[in-house]
Amino acid sequence: MTALGTSSTVAVVGTGTMGQGIAQVALVAGHRVRLYDTAPGRAEQAAEAIGSRLDRLVEKGRISADERDAARARLSPATVLAELADAALVIEAILEQLPAKQELFSALEDVVTADCLLATNTSSLSVTAVAGRLRHPGRCVGLHFFNPAPLLPLVEVISGFATDEAAATTAYDTAAAWGKQPVRCADTPGFIVNRIARPFYAEAFRAHEERIADPATIDAVLREGAGFKMGPFELTDLIGQDVNEAVTHSVWQAFFQDPKFTPSLAQRRLVESGRHGRKAGRGWFDYSEGARRPEPRTAEPCPAPEAVGLHAKLPGPAVVLRELIEEAGIKVTRDRTPGVSEGFLRLPGGACLALTNGYPATTLVYENYIRFDLSLDYRAATRIALAASSAVSEEDLAEAVGLFQALGKQVSVIEDVPGMIVARTIAMIIDFAVDAAARGVATPEDIDTAMRLGVNYPGGPMEWVERLGAHWVWDLLHSMHHQDAGGRYAPSWALRRRADLEELVL
């Protein structure tokens, strides 16, 4: 371990919510902490706020009164930058503006010792650029904490182009000594979490813009059908639409306006109108007093069919549906349809019920198809989305709805589009993750850790590709790209290579 000892002083520059949180983490870990802010009186106010939070930790039994008193004694506000001269680590948490960060670090370099580690908490700027004006850029590293820093365990440790390995290792080990779960990351736009998480928001917003379903329904399908803790609309309302849109725009620009990262016009309009989410009283949803949250679109109860036919084997995690159907007391017979390799369920009225494959149900107008959305765990899922082709009758659709209702699922019928909701979202997240791993952004293990801990995903995308199969994911995205050739859904070559290797093993 090369972690900084608790005898080392840690300085935090910037005393907003994030700066205060980082300072509290270092303080509770046993360090002397100095707070600095350019605004007069802000450092003193932050010290008082941290002291109040320490009081609450005592009330909750997290620390003792003696530990609180000792921590308070180690905390001191600084009135001038020169008072940070004895710091072994300085972490900046100021505005996300590159010139401001560069100016700060240049000034710090004239104050601190030669072996002082300089860390930026930037969430979207280049660590390499932040360190670009330093005489000794090797000492600069990214330490990206997640808000609220005292509670969330993840810390992304980002090495800039010039960062010394020893500096990155010290930063990593220090974060671990503070009780955090650090992950290593190369200096690329969005790092791990803000890069790979983009499709979770972008695909939902695009689905809304395409009028596939309303925000409440899209949230419910991703939450209850895929296991995400919050849907993208309610989550961005919590984060702040202005904050989320700014990160999206920053990553898009940093990737030279790659269509995969294109921001949402609908979200831009929210930001322009001042509807920034919960903090503004309104975002995608209305949070004013007495306002009622809209309910997701949910199908009325329908009778379940007495029997269904099974043609071939249902793909991926959908294979468990046969067990669920039989457990619900519905007979499963064998269906033989010549010349069709796709696995599907044949409903009594003749319609085919199949997992989405990246093509719409209405691939051909005469096809009697109903597509159901992906779930990573159909047994645990409580909601399923369905989309029907134009040839499907109301009676056929009611049979599909009744079948899933008999399995204990709520059903949302959405518009017929390629990839539906969950499948396109999960596939894009997986593709981003596989591509990032192949480019050396982070290891597969650190990617999964980052996505589970940083944004509370129900699993890691590298784990998901193992379960779904790279070939299935590639086929779905390739099908979507075939219909929307702008580049947004073009699967990465890393995913293609993984799918090809998968085929060779089989």
Side-chain angles (χ1 to χ4, degrees), residues 272-296:
E272 289 173 339
S273 67
R275 298 183 179 186
H276 293 171
R278 286 180 179 270
K279 62 186 177 184
R282 187 161 187 179
W284 295 109
F285 303 113
D286 187 351
Y287 299 94
S288 60
E289 186 176 354
R292 295 182 60 184
R293 285 285 295 274
E295 294 293 326

Side-chain angles (χ1 to χ4, degrees), residues 342-364:
E342 179 183 22
F344 62 81
L345 295 166
R346 176 80 70 181
L347 297 171
C352 300
L353 181 60
L355 175 63
T356 181
N357 63 354
Y359 284 101
T362 313
T363 303
L364 298 173

Side-chain angles (χ1 to χ4, degrees), residues 96 123-124 198 205 233 235-250 263-264 266-284:
E96 281 287 271
S123 60
S124 59
R198 294 335 314 151
F205 298 162
F233 294 92
L235 179 56
T236 52
D237 270 355
L238 179 63
I239 294 169
Q241 298 301 333
D242 52 337
V243 174
N244 181 263
E245 201 257 357
V247 172
T248 298
H249 196 270
S250 174
S264 162
Q267 187 182 37
R268 177 95 288 266
R269 292 292 179 259
L270 273 186
V271 173
E272 289 173 339
S273 67
R275 298 183 179 186
H276 293 171
R278 286 180 179 270
K279 62 186 177 184
R282 187 161 187 179
W284 295 109

Side-chain angles (χ1 to χ4, degrees), residues 21-37:
I22 295 170
Q24 180 181 326
V25 170
L27 195 64
V28 171
H31 292 271
R32 292 190 305 274
V33 175
R34 290 202 172 87
L35 293 170
Y36 176 76
D37 199 293

Side-chain angles (χ1 to χ4, degrees), residues 315-330:
V319 70
V320 75
L321 287 177
R322 176 172 184 164
E323 292 179 20
L324 297 179
I325 292 168
E326 291 176 333
E327 289 169 11
I330 299 171

Side-chain angles (χ1 to χ4, degrees), residues 460-490:
M462 303 304 290
E463 168 200 338
W464 293 341
V465 74
E466 291 287 344
R467 292 172 57 190
L468 292 172
H471 198 277
W472 185 87
V473 178
W474 190 88
D475 276 348
L476 184 133
L477 290 176
H478 182 67
S479 299
M480 294 188 68
H481 176 60
H482 179 70
Q483 297 158 94
D484 184 350
R488 184 185 184 98
Y489 300 107

